[in-house]
Amino acid sequence: TECTFSLLESSLLCLFLTAHKINTPLLAMDNPDPPSPALKRSDKVQNGDQILQDKATERTTLKKELDTYFQERITIPETDDYRFNFKKLWAFTGPGFLMSIAYLDPGNIESDLQSGAIASYHLLWVLMWATALGLLMQRLAARLGVVTGLHLAEVCQRRFPPVPRYLLWIMVEIAIVGSDMQEVIGTAIAFYLLSFKKIPLYAGVLITIADTFTFLLLDKYGLRKLEAFFAFLIMVMAVTFGYEYFSAIPPQKDVIEGLLVPWCSHCDTRALLQAVGIVGAVIMPHNLYLHSALVKSREVDRTNKNKVKEANMYFFIESGIALFVSLIINIFVVSVFAKGLFGKTNAYVYNLCLAKNSTYSDVFPNDNSTLEVDIYRAGVFLGCEYGNIPLYIWAIGILAAGQSSTMTGTYSGQFVMEGFLNLKWARWKRVLLTRCIAIAPTLFITVYSDIQNLSKMNDYLNALMSLQLPFALFPTLIFTSSKGVMGDFQNGIVNKVIVTLLGITVIGINLYFVEQFSTENLPNHWAVYLALALYILFYVCFVFYLALCLMYVLGFQRVSSIPIIGTYVVEPYDLTAFPSESRTEMYKSTDNFEVSGVNVQYKNTELN
């Protein structure tokens, strides 16, 4: 843990200094002094013309600077009306499936199998509704990208003052690094199982550096080919985990009942904690930033309100289909281990492996204690129960989950860095930084510990994801509820109430999960409690600030009168005074110029 945070702290500090000293912030311009009141009218007109010309040049330059990874834009076919069209749906298909990979990463897979082993089929309804809640949040993130033409990190850069902005960036980066560690762990375990223990864990960890760079070259061949490759990886997961499902053949009645009956009879504290962990594992913080950026890869005429509505509809349908596929895959995993491991002891699996003369028989102790399972032990169980083929197929599925999540995590990191810092880094530099931060503690454990501790790290990282969720959830709710940001596409009153209550509920659930997890797993030492208390103080204060920002856009504008922090709650600009077609351009201009029609406002001096 010390190794992780020291590396993370030094790396983030370097990035902060680089962005602060070398790169001029995207919207921070050195404004000249205001024109003298003694200027003649002709001078004012000339200055006004020059201002307009400078603004046009600036917007052209900024448009080039705002281009991110996906330089290619997919053209949407034109039709005579706005009725549903499968050709258009196909053109919009892609971003949702890339986003859905975060719902299938190794952390989610481990949460699924633990859910089945601990609570049988009784938590399937939690998984289903958590996915539905995730769809609602992803819809808001996609709408933000479609309506504004900017992704979530870019809007944060324009909305928040420097200190909250950099703190928000650091918290999101921590979430991305934590997610990257999960993918490294999953990939290393997959290589270990596929090679029949021939590839040691530390070698599998090191391999993840090279293979990620190799896969990132794929986007050179075009955006649609890249999306097709991700679809292939999702298909691999569907086939492999589906194979396990139809090999185990769980009772379908129990599966359907688990999905439809929102109750968990005879569930203990472990099952309750697992239910909370499902919510934290499903909704990933960096995924909201990713999805809001991915939708920019489609050509949408933002000056046409009907076109924007149409894009929002198709992206929502596509996201729904993608998350439905991810839900089916997650159900496969839960059901397999609900049938195979629920109510079983370590001795049961030990004897099972011993009867098959498995080389993995020493993984489970020969005692009657409660069975604890993770990605590695799950593969061992499948090999002992059904033979080596299911074990290898399981490892292939985990490998596909790890590799796909690694690449989308890299894209998320690039979007976040570009948005918050306006820091243009080559992809290989970004990959190298995040991957080294993720590999350092993982490599340390693989060298000086064993695979049991490596796999257990996923539990800690799921808790970390839960902690970081408010730093993606609150900005999404703030911007999509803001009239100044979304215009006519802001959340309606009913939607605001529902989304806000759900957001608060999710955050409360996640905090409960982290509190319970910390109580059971953290060492009992005064230094640990002191560090935890300081972090909780910072965490609560920052979340409270974001909550005040949300209250302000929801109409509780009296929060701006709170001493000290009230001025940081108010939105720095209001786009409602500008026509919708200029909203995107206006977002790129937070200096002291305001151009509307034939009038130019320059530091409160009107030039006609």
Side-chain angles (χ1 to χ4, degrees), residues 76-85 87-89 92 143 146 299-301 304-318 489:
I76 308 301
E78 293 290 340
T79 55
D80 296 333
D81 51 42
Y82 293 101
R83 289 183 297 181
F84 179 81
N85 185 286
K87 287 185 178 180
K88 284 191 174 182
L89 178 61
F92 281 104
R143 282 169 61 88
V146 171
E299 286 285 359
V300 177
D301 182 7
N304 188 327
K305 186 180 293 186
N306 289 326
K307 293 288 187 182
V308 175
K309 285 183 178 179
E310 180 184 62
N312 287 333
M313 178 190 71
Y314 281 110
F315 277 129
F316 179 64
I317 294 173
E318 186 243 358
F489 293 94

Side-chain angles (χ1 to χ4, degrees), residues 80 98 113 122 124 137 163 183 195 205 215 256 277 312 344 365 421-422 451 462 476 478 511 514 562 605:
D80 296 333
L98 267 69
L113 63 91
H122 298 304
L124 282 173
M137 297 303 173
V163 173
E183 284 120 33
S195 66
V205 170
F215 285 125
I256 295 174
N312 287 333
K344 302 297 192 300
L421 303 181
N422 187 33
I451 193 170
N462 278 336
T476 303
I478 290 169
L511 290 179
V514 173
I562 297 177
T605 302

Side-chain angles (χ1 to χ4, degrees), residues 105-125:
D105 71 339
N108 272 289
I109 300 301
E110 180 155 310
S111 177
D112 291 338
L113 63 91
Q114 289 174 344
S115 172
I118 292 173
S120 187
Y121 308 94
H122 298 304
L123 296 181
L124 282 173
W125 65 274

Side-chain angles (χ1 to χ4, degrees), residues 86-156:
F86 280 103
K87 287 185 178 180
K88 284 191 174 182
L89 178 61
W90 177 251
F92 281 104
T93 298
F97 281 90
L98 267 69
M99 167 273 298
S100 70
I101 286 173
Y103 291 73
L104 297 168
D105 71 339
N108 272 289
I109 300 301
E110 180 155 310
S111 177
D112 291 338
L113 63 91
Q114 289 174 344
S115 172
I118 292 173
S120 187
Y121 308 94
H122 298 304
L123 296 181
L124 282 173
W125 65 274
V126 177
L127 174 64
M128 182 178 69
W129 286 108
T131 305
L133 177 59
L135 175 61
L136 179 60
M137 297 303 173
Q138 299 296 160
R139 171 179 174 266
L140 296 181
R143 282 169 61 88
L144 178 67
V146 171
V147 173
T148 65
L150 302 171
H151 58 71
L152 183 56
E154 290 173 330
V155 183
C156 287

Side-chain angles (χ1 to χ4, degrees), residues 5-136:
F5 282 101
S6 62
L7 280 171
L8 182 61
E9 183 182 62
S10 59
S11 301
L12 293 178
L13 180 60
C14 291
L15 287 177
F16 175 82
L17 294 175
T18 304
H20 194 68
K21 292 190 174 183
I22 299 177
N23 290 275
T24 303
L26 188 61
L27 299 178
M29 299 178 61
D30 294 328
N31 295 315
D33 293 329
S36 170
L39 284 176
K40 297 180 181 179
R41 179 176 177 82
S42 59
D43 294 333
K44 291 183 178 181
V45 172
Q46 291 176 1
N47 286 347
D49 292 340
Q50 183 63 40
I51 290 171
L52 291 173
Q53 183 178 355
D54 291 344
K55 294 303 293 180
T57 304
E58 175 199 349
R59 289 172 182 173
T60 303
T61 303
L62 288 173
K63 185 178 186 303
K64 294 178 181 178
E65 291 180 357
L66 284 170
D67 286 338
T68 51
Y69 271 7
F70 304 112
Q71 306 292 342
E72 180 184 354
R73 295 292 185 268
I74 305 301
T75 303
I76 308 301
E78 293 290 340
T79 55
D80 296 333
D81 51 42
Y82 293 101
R83 289 183 297 181
F84 179 81
N85 185 286
F86 280 103
K87 287 185 178 180
K88 284 191 174 182
L89 178 61
W90 177 251
F92 281 104
T93 298
F97 281 90
L98 267 69
M99 167 273 298
S100 70
I101 286 173
Y103 291 73
L104 297 168
D105 71 339
N108 272 289
I109 300 301
E110 180 155 310
S111 177
D112 291 338
L113 63 91
Q114 289 174 344
S115 172
I118 292 173
S120 187
Y121 308 94
H122 298 304
L123 296 181
L124 282 173
W125 65 274
V126 177
L127 174 64
M128 182 178 69
W129 286 108
T131 305
L133 177 59
L135 175 61
L136 179 60

Side-chain angles (χ1 to χ4, degrees), residues 110-400:
E110 180 155 310
S111 177
D112 291 338
L113 63 91
Q114 289 174 344
S115 172
I118 292 173
S120 187
Y121 308 94
H122 298 304
L123 296 181
L124 282 173
W125 65 274
V126 177
L127 174 64
M128 182 178 69
W129 286 108
T131 305
L133 177 59
L135 175 61
L136 179 60
M137 297 303 173
Q138 299 296 160
R139 171 179 174 266
L140 296 181
R143 282 169 61 88
L144 178 67
V146 171
V147 173
T148 65
L150 302 171
H151 58 71
L152 183 56
E154 290 173 330
V155 183
C156 287
Q157 199 271 346
R158 290 151 178 77
R159 165 62 177 85
F160 292 112
V163 173
R165 182 198 316 154
Y166 289 125
L167 289 176
L168 195 61
W169 167 67
I170 290 173
M171 302 307 283
V172 176
E173 287 286 2
I174 291 174
I176 292 173
V177 171
S179 176
D180 207 32
M181 288 179 66
Q182 287 185 314
E183 284 120 33
V184 170
I185 292 170
T187 303
I189 292 175
F191 282 129
Y192 186 73
L193 290 173
L194 284 172
S195 66
F196 205 66
K197 301 182 180 181
K198 295 294 190 300
I199 298 179
L201 289 173
Y202 70 86
V205 170
L206 294 175
I207 289 174
T208 59
I209 299 179
D211 61 14
T212 303
F213 285 109
T214 303
F215 285 125
L216 283 176
L217 295 175
L218 288 172
D219 66 353
K220 297 293 185 182
Y221 296 97
L223 179 58
R224 294 301 269 178
K225 291 183 176 63
L226 178 67
E227 292 173 346
F229 179 72
F230 278 103
F232 169 75
L233 291 177
I234 294 175
M235 184 187 70
V236 169
M237 286 184 274
V239 171
T240 53
F241 298 138
Y243 174 86
E244 308 290 359
Y245 181 85
F246 290 105
S247 296
I249 313 180
Q252 302 305 302
K253 178 184 176 182
D254 292 344
V255 174
I256 295 174
E257 183 180 344
L259 286 169
L260 300 181
V261 179
W263 187 252
C264 183
S265 58
H266 308 294
C267 285
D268 55 11
T269 305
R270 291 178 66 224
L272 176 61
L273 193 60
Q274 187 61 42
V276 174
I278 289 174
V279 179
V282 166
I283 305 175
M284 305 291 283
H286 64 278
N287 213 31
L288 297 176
Y289 289 88
L290 174 67
H291 198 195
S292 65
L294 293 175
V295 297
K296 294 171 59 178
S297 61
R298 268 53 182 177
E299 286 285 359
V300 177
D301 182 7
R302 293 180 178 84
T303 64
N304 188 327
K305 186 180 293 186
N306 289 326
K307 293 288 187 182
V308 175
K309 285 183 178 179
E310 180 184 62
N312 287 333
M313 178 190 71
Y314 281 110
F315 277 129
F316 179 64
I317 294 173
E318 186 243 358
S319 298
I321 296 172
L323 290 187
F324 177 75
V325 173
S326 73
L327 175 63
I328 296 299
I329 295 174
N330 285 318
I331 290 174
F332 285 163
V333 177
V334 174
S335 302
V336 167
F337 294 97
K339 181 185 178 184
L341 293 179
F342 176 66
K344 302 297 192 300
T345 62
N346 286 318
Y348 169 81
V349 184
Y350 173 82
N351 292 323
L352 194 66
C353 294
L354 203 61
K356 295 287 184 68
N357 294 321
S358 172
T359 57
Y360 297 99
S361 58
D362 59 339
V363 172
F364 294 89
N366 187 16
D367 57 43
N368 290 320
S369 59
T370 303
L371 182 69
E372 292 186 3
V373 66
D374 49 43
I375 289 178
Y376 172 63
R377 289 185 169 196
V380 172
F381 161 74
L382 291 173
C384 295
E385 178 75 20
Y386 303 107
N388 286 332
I389 292 178
L391 184 150
Y392 293 134
I393 291 177
W394 169 260
I396 292 172
I398 296 299
L399 182 63

